[in-house]
């Protein structure tokens, strides 16, 4: 038997990653491993190249053990290269020459062909057509290429959405289509045509794809690209959806922004409106969701292009607080991250990337769970990731330079951020006493807390999908 922890325990384990856009398949943008930057924000390493030109970046970084050597790498998507960097030193391990909008979509990392090794999914139009490309994580060589019909701004997502034991790759395109590709060889499984460009990044779960379109609609598709439901907002939808259980019915609902300035909460089964909140200005960025103030209730953190950040109650959409930076805006490519980075502050800290206008120099802001400013990262923004880059049991923050003094992207660490910072464990659903690893079939599918299906039973946080609903458990 494996035990279940129902209170916070200082686990010592590494490899808590940020493998996909906004962390994982549900787009929550919440990191479950803690950090401790109370000793200061020190640059552990900076990139060996300057940010700009061939190394311009608007995309999120990813943090994962891409080459399966037991240590994490940081993967950056730049205007001309995908670069794999050693997570502890920043040294380049490999880079792939590319072009296209790869500086906008975040790459995705995972084993897409069941060979036990990780691959990297990105985009490329260097050969004259818009392509989704799978690279071998060991050396960056091409595994497969697949043509799509338009420019790619959407970040790829990987997940076994049809339950056949093989991973699919889901991505949107400016041709208005949502593509589902077989991870094994990149062949087309199915596609769905919307009424506008698809620059939103999908949230994925079993037999469900949720994504937005410039036609103003939010779409839910099944694994065969059949329409399950759609919801029409009042503006184009560049925002990417986050999925969470809003009302405790064990059904994952949808949170998404729109060009009409509203944040929408939609029923995950029917697409019906649960609530909406008007921020007063276009919402292009993806919302982040989590129990930010650790009061047992989930919040939605969203930002608009007029520089306003709001915290809303997830179940009702009620405003808890707002924070505004004059002359700034929160733009599309996954600009908000949640993590417990400062033990002296209650709850989670909120990293928000802003810029004066799209495609211009950035600043980033670290906010407390109550919406007060903790610090500003002047000249840093556009791309970030929060994960255990150096495998010490504490998360680091990787962030892109956009006008910073050094001219280079950096990994932030701290003297106090060096050993076994622990994980988030406070949750009202921690009410299971035991889980028998030999009874996996009885309990059904095992998911990580951020939506990754897993067969692993190593220590960590998992969702167990039981016939009576979902339960959240911690294995030790």
């Amino acid at each position: 038997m494996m035990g279940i922890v129902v209170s916070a325990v200082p686990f010592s384990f590494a490899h808590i990653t940020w493998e996909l856009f906004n962390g994982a398949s549900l787009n929550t943008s919440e990191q479950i491993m803690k950090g401790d930057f109370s000793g200061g924000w020190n640059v552990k390493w900076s990139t060996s190249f300057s940010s700009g030109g061939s190394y311009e970046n608007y995309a999120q970084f990813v943090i994962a053990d891409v080459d399966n050597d037991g240590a994490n790498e940081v993967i950056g998507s730049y205007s001309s290269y995908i670069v794999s960097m050693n997570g502890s030193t920043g040294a380049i391990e490999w880079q792939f020459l590319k072009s296209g909008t790869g500086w906008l979509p975040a790459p995705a990392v995972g084993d897409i062909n069941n060979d036990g090794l990780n691959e990297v999914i990105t985009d490329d139009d260097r050969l004259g057509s818009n392509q989704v490309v799978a690279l071998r994580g060991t050396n960056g060589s091409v595994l497969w290429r697949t043509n799509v019909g338009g420019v790619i701004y959407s970040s790829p997502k990987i997940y076994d959405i049809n339950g056949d034991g093989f991973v699919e790759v889901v991505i949107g395109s400016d041709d208005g289509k949502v593509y589902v590709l077989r991870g094994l060889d990149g062949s087309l499984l199915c596609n769905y045509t919307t009424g506008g460009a698809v620059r939103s990044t999908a949230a994925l779960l079993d037999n469900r794809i949720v994504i937005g379109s410039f036609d103003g609609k939010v779409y839910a598709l099944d694994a065969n690209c059949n329409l399950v439901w759609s919801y029409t907002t009042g503006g184009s939808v560049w925002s990417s959806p986050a999925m969470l259980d809003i009302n405790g019915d064990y059904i994952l609902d949808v949170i998404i922004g729109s060009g009409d300035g509203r944040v929408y909460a939609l029923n995950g089964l029917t697409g019906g409106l649960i609530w909406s909140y008007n921020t007063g200005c276009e919402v292009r960025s993806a919302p982040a969701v989590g129990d930010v103030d650790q009061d047992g209730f989930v919040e939605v953190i969203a930002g608009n292009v007029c520089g306003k950040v709001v915290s809303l109650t997830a179940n009702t959409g009620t405003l808890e607080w707002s924070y505004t930076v004059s002359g700034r805006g929160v733009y599309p490519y996954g600009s908000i991250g949640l993590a417990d980075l400062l033990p002296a502050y209650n709850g989670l800290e909120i990293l928000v990337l802003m810029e004066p206008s799209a495609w211009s120099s950035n600043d980033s802001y670290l906010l407390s769970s109550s919406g007060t400013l903790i610090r500003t990262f002047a000249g840093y923004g556009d791309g970030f990731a929060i994960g255990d880059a150096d495998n010490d049991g504490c998360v680091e923050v990787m962030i892109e330079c956009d006008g910073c003094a050094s001219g280079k992207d950096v990994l932030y660490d701290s003297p106090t951020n060096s050993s076994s910072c622990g994980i988030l464990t406070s949750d009202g659903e921690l009410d299971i006493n035991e889980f028998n690893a030999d009874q996996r079939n009885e309990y059904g599918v095992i998911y990580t807390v951020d939506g990754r299906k897993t067969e692993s039973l190593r220590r960590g946080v998992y969702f167990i999908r039981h016939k009576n609903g979902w339960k959240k458990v911690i294995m030790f």
Side-chain angles (χ1 to χ4, degrees), residues 57 353-354 362-364 377 379-384 399-402:
N57 173 25
L353 282 55
M354 294 194 191
N362 279 24
D363 292 329
S364 295
F377 299 89
Y380 289 96
D382 284 334
F384 82 99
I399 195 164
E400 183 256 357
C401 170
D402 193 343

Side-chain angles (χ1 to χ4, degrees), residues 141-319:
S141 61
V142 174
L143 178 65
W144 52 254
R145 293 175 176 268
T146 296
N147 291 337
V148 297
V151 176
I152 298 171
Y153 289 83
S154 172
S155 296
K157 280 300 183 77
I158 54 178
Y159 195 82
D160 180 10
I161 55 175
N162 59 10
D164 66 353
F166 296 93
V167 167
E168 287 75 44
V169 177
V170 179
I171 197 166
S173 169
D174 265 19
D175 65 357
K177 293 182 179 180
V178 181
Y179 291 86
V180 180
L181 310 177
R182 295 178 178 88
L184 189 65
D185 57 10
S187 60
L188 180 67
L189 180 63
C190 62
N191 62 55
Y192 181 87
T193 302
T194 74
V198 180
R199 298 185 178 182
S200 175
T201 294
L204 306 178
L205 193 63
D206 281 356
N207 198 35
R208 189 60 50 92
I209 302 164
V210 181
I211 200 165
S213 170
F214 271 32
D215 64 5
K217 293 182 179 181
V218 183
Y219 292 88
L221 312 174
D222 68 17
N224 295 311
C225 298
N226 298 308
L227 180 66
V228 178
W229 55 257
S230 67
Y231 180 88
T232 302
T233 74
S236 60
V237 181
W238 198 328
S239 175
S240 299
M243 296 181 71
L244 75 158
D245 181 6
I246 289 176
N247 52 13
D249 61 359
Y250 301 107
I251 295 170
L252 293 184
D253 303 303
V254 177
I255 306 289
I256 196 167
S258 171
D260 63 7
R262 291 187 174 272
V263 179
Y264 291 87
L266 306 176
N267 183 287
L269 280 184
T270 67
L273 179 66
I274 300 174
W275 55 258
S276 71
Y277 178 85
N278 189 358
T279 72
C281 199
E282 186 178 0
V283 180
R284 295 186 189 177
S285 64
V289 296
D291 184 3
V292 174
D293 55 11
Q294 298 293 283
D295 64 352
F297 300 95
V298 173
E299 284 79 37
V300 175
I301 308 297
N304 66 26
V305 299
C306 296
K308 186 177 184 179
V309 180
V310 296
S311 174
L312 310 173
T313 57
N315 58 344
T316 64
T318 302
L319 179 67

